[in-house]
């Protein structure tokens, strides 16, 4: 009987140790994207996206166009607050240089959040910036909100919103 007891005890211990991961119930999504087909759940995304955005803004403040271009997707799309659209990495860098030459901006991120919309192949970073611009010796401090879509670590789309402060 002793010969059977030890293997049975060992088998019981092995069987009782569950090693499969159970599905965790996520509960209701904290956000959504409204589309013509209804609401699509949005949830927290990888915090590494925030580091990508911070590096991107640092490159802007350092006028490091090479880094910015390397971080952009080749077919980046910018939808700007004035209704204009810039398509393509080269066009973006050209427009960015013109903006920087005209306003000498300095961006400071004051909030940033990353989210994933179910069914999309990338993640969004929504970030607010206090920007200091100087035009003809006159300083202004607009707030700029950027909704940025990141795919495979590259900036794929930026939707920009601006509020000028007097």
């Amino acid at each position: 009987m002793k010969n059977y007891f030890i293997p049975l005890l060992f088998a019981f211990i092995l069987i009782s140790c569950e090693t499969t991961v159970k599905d965790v119930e996520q509960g209701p999504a904290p956000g959504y994207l409204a589309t013509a087909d209804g609401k699509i759940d949005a949830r927290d995304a990888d915090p590494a996206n925030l580091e990508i955005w911070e590096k991107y803004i640092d490159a802007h403040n350092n006028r490091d166009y090479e880094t910015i271009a390397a971080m952009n997707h080749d077919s980046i799309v910018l939808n700007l607050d004035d209704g204009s659209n810039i398509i393509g990495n080269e066009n973006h860098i050209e427009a960015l240089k013109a903006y920087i030459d005209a306003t000498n901006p300095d961006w400071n991120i004051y909030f940033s959040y990353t989210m994933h919309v179910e069914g999309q192949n990338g993640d969004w970073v929504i970030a607010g910036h206090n920007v200091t611009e100087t035009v003809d010796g006159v300083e202004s401090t607009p707030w700029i909100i950027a909704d940025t879509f990141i795919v495979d670590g590259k900036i794929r789309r930026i939707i920009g919103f601006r509020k000028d402060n007097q």
Side-chain angles (χ1 to χ4, degrees), residues 76-148:
I76 186 172
V77 174
L78 286 87
N79 307 113
L80 303 179
D81 65 301
D82 63 1
S84 64
N85 299 305
I86 299 170
I87 300 170
N89 197 3
E90 289 180 25
N91 292 333
H92 172 231
I93 297 301
E94 182 180 312
L96 181 61
K97 285 179 179 179
Y99 167 67
I100 287 175
D101 287 346
T103 65
N104 192 34
D106 182 58
W107 288 270
N108 292 294
I109 300 170
Y110 68 90
F111 81 84
S112 190
Y113 173 74
T114 186
M115 70 176 199
H116 177 76
V117 176
E118 289 182 13
Q120 292 185 343
N121 65 346
D123 295 326
W124 290 91
V125 170
I126 299 91
H129 311 82
N130 291 315
V131 181
T132 303
E133 297 176 340
T134 305
V135 177
D136 297 328
V138 178
E139 189 174 283
S140 63
T141 55
W143 295 335
I144 296 178
I145 306 291
D147 289 347
T148 304

Side-chain angles (χ1 to χ4, degrees), residues 20-86:
T20 58
V21 177
K22 293 183 178 181
D23 288 334
V24 176
E25 193 172 314
Q26 291 184 335
Y32 63 86
L33 174 67
T35 70
D37 297 325
K39 293 179 181 177
I40 301 171
D41 286 348
R43 299 189 179 279
D44 294 344
D46 187 349
N49 293 319
L50 304 176
E51 294 171 18
I52 291 170
W53 187 250
E54 289 170 0
K55 180 180 176 184
Y56 195 69
I57 292 301
D58 286 344
H60 282 67
N61 285 333
N62 294 324
R63 311 311 190 234
D64 186 351
Y65 301 109
E66 188 175 308
T67 296
I68 296 166
M71 294 181 74
N72 283 344
H73 191 279
D74 287 339
S75 57
I76 186 172
V77 174
L78 286 87
N79 307 113
L80 303 179
D81 65 301
D82 63 1
S84 64
N85 299 305
I86 299 170

Side-chain angles (χ1 to χ4, degrees), residues 1-18:
M1 180 76 168
K2 286 183 183 179
N3 291 340
Y4 294 109
F5 179 73
I6 292 176
L8 282 173
L9 179 62
F10 183 70
F12 177 75
I13 291 172
L14 281 178
I15 292 170
S16 67
C17 296
E18 188 175 335

